[in-house]
Amino acid sequence: MAGYDYDLVVIGCGPAGEKGAARAAYFGKRVAVVERAEQPGGAGINTGTVPSKTLRETALYFSGLRQRGLYGIDYSLREGLTIRDFMYRKQIVVENEWGIIGRNLERHGIELVRGSAALAGPHTVRVTAPDGAVRDLSTEFILIATGSAPLHPPEIPFDGHAVLDSDTILQMDRIPRSLVVVGGGVIGCEYASIFTALGVRVTLVDGRGSLLTFIDGDLSARLQAQLELLGLRFIFNTRLTAVERAGEGVRLALSNGGVIKADAVLVAAGRQSNSSGLGLEAAGVALGERGLILVNEQYQTSVPNIYAAGDVIGFPALASASMEQARVAMAYAFGQGHTDEAGVLPFAIYTIPEIAMAGLSEDECRA
């Protein structure tokens, strides 16, 4: 549009940012994507979706679970498996994905701008480059897709060694013999099943009465039954009340009065939006708890030309859904009409076994 440098500036080059930018470029729009990290891809490529799925495949390979299922042969986990063996393939996949994203941006004629972004008004994104240089990008529309980070409750002594979050678990220096996972959401369930498949003694603790409460109840129950067959132990309706280091491991106190000792604990009890430092409130963008950006059904914020998609707006915070949210947002922004998929987001959860759904659950249909 006349008077602006760009039709769209996207802040964040994770799954939502990349796909939103590509959709706008497909409409013939002039697009720039601002990314502060050294590599594109956000949590989807670098710390979450792709690394955990690669580890899942590695766990299935090393554990022999696939062979067991096919031939009824019990393969035991390879003796002396190190964390380096476990992570080797992950890095290859991640680096390959960086190349795919770069080529996708190039193919669509999208400019990648390196640096930290903040709003300097509803139509201006101010970028501070790594060398300190400042550049203002004027734009008709803005898409905020800055993702989220693990929530760190102040009472939990995260140390990256025995007390882990979903980022630091990927940097473990050893495979623990026993692991407690706190949280029965997507991240907790995926990692619990991965480490159970590797022969680690895993206990999952959750304050609710079932896993993945947003999915169909039948699916949740079947998943739990399968994970129990793998050897995963569950403690429901129970919260973590205290964590303390005990030698090289941890000692956990639970709200039911129980105590668990383990080599490590993964706390996967929520995430918070990466919305601070973006100047959102000064620009009039309304925020909710944990920094969530509030949006309507079209993924439009309280400022009409500013949209948001992906983890930064909260649930379901899955890469598959985030991509679709951004595509739908850009269809609305550029007047390409209502999209039929707007209310039917794909949910893919890579537990062992994996599950997926789209649309309403049975309980939601009944309601």
Side-chain angles (χ1 to χ4, degrees):
M1 189 174 176
Y4 296 119
D5 299 329
Y6 301 93
D7 299 301
L8 172 71
V9 171
V10 180
I11 304 176
C13 194
E18 180 201 353
K19 301 308 180 192
R23 175 59 63 95
Y26 176 78
F27 296 147
K29 306 302 178 183
R30 190 165 178 222
V31 183
V33 177
V34 183
E35 176 55 62
R36 68 181 181 183
E38 196 173 320
Q39 299 292 348
I45 302 301
N46 297 299
T47 60
T49 310
V50 168
S52 66
K53 281 29 157 201
T54 311
L55 294 184
R56 179 185 183 277
E57 293 304 303
T58 308
L60 285 169
Y61 170 80
F62 278 126
S63 68
L65 268 176
R66 284 222 172 102
Q67 296 93 318
R68 252 180 271 173
L70 286 172
Y71 307 115
I73 301 168
D74 185 14
Y75 286 73
S76 56
L77 189 60
R78 205 181 79 195
E79 195 68 33
L81 182 67
T82 67
I83 205 72
R84 190 168 181 178
D85 296 326
F86 197 37
M87 298 296 192
Y88 173 73
R89 179 68 188 164
K90 182 215 83 165
Q91 197 56 32
I92 293 173
V93 174
V94 167
E95 289 178 15
N96 186 49
E97 289 295 321
W98 290 340
I100 291 171
I101 293 169
R103 290 190 292 276
N104 191 35
L105 298 180
E106 200 173 304
R107 187 170 73 249
H108 285 92
I110 298 164
E111 182 182 348
L112 180 61
V113 181
R114 301 283 183 183
S116 298
L119 302 188
H123 292 280
T124 304
V125 176
R126 180 162 293 159
V127 182
T128 304
D131 63 2
V134 176
R135 175 185 172 193
D136 283 352
L137 312 178
S138 66
T139 178
E140 183 179 5
F141 290 101
I142 295 169
L143 173 64
I144 300 167
T146 46
S148 65
L151 185 67
H152 276 198
E155 68 275 12
I156 296 178
F158 290 94
D159 61 8
H161 178 72
V163 185
L164 304 157
D165 63 24
S166 57
D167 287 355
T168 55
I169 197 164
L170 292 166
Q171 288 130 36
M172 283 191 308
D173 55 5
R174 74 210 193 290
I175 294 177
R177 289 163 302 176
S178 57
L179 175 71
V180 174
V181 175
V182 179
V186 174
I187 293 170
C189 287
E190 288 184 349
Y191 277 116
S193 65
I194 288 168
F195 282 95
T196 299
L198 280 170
V200 176
R201 295 192 310 277
V202 181
T203 303
L204 189 149
V205 179
D206 192 83
R208 295 162 296 187
S210 63
L211 300 175
L212 302 167
T213 52
F214 62 91
I215 67 167
D216 197 279
D218 290 346
L219 271 179
S220 175
R222 288 289 294 275
L223 175 65
Q224 183 182 332
Q226 290 297 313
L227 292 175
E228 284 172 337
L229 287 174
L230 275 182
L232 183 52
R233 176 182 170 227
F234 294 96
I235 301 175
F236 288 114
N237 300 308
T238 303
R239 290 175 296 99
L240 180 67
T241 55
V243 183
E244 58 183 42
R245 289 299 301 271
E248 282 297 298
V250 288
R251 181 180 183 276
L252 311 176
L254 306 179
S255 61
N256 65 3
V259 172
I260 307 178
K261 291 181 179 177
D263 288 347
V265 57
L266 166 63
V267 180
R271 295 178 71 83
Q272 59 189 5
S273 291
N274 294 331
S275 59
S276 64
L278 293 176
L280 299 182
E281 287 159 307
V285 176
L287 301 178
E289 59 180 22
R290 294 185 184 178
L292 292 178
I293 298 178
L294 303 178
V295 295
N296 62 17
E297 289 181 358
Q298 300 176 2
Y299 304 103
Q300 188 177 37
T301 71
S302 53
V303 179
N305 71 297
I306 300 177
Y307 289 74
D311 285 22
V312 78
I313 67 171
F315 179 83
L318 298 171
S320 52
S322 298
M323 294 173 185
E324 196 57 30
Q325 288 170 346
R327 293 185 185 111
V328 169
M330 294 302 92
Y332 280 120
F334 292 108
Q336 299 297 316
H338 175 76
T339 62
D340 293 336
E341 315 88 56
V344 186
L345 295 173
F347 289 11
I349 300 162
Y350 290 87
T351 43
I352 298 172
E354 65 271 35
I355 55 177
M357 62 176 277
L360 299 175
S361 69
E362 185 177 337
D363 288 343
E364 287 170 329
C365 287
R366 288 182 188 280

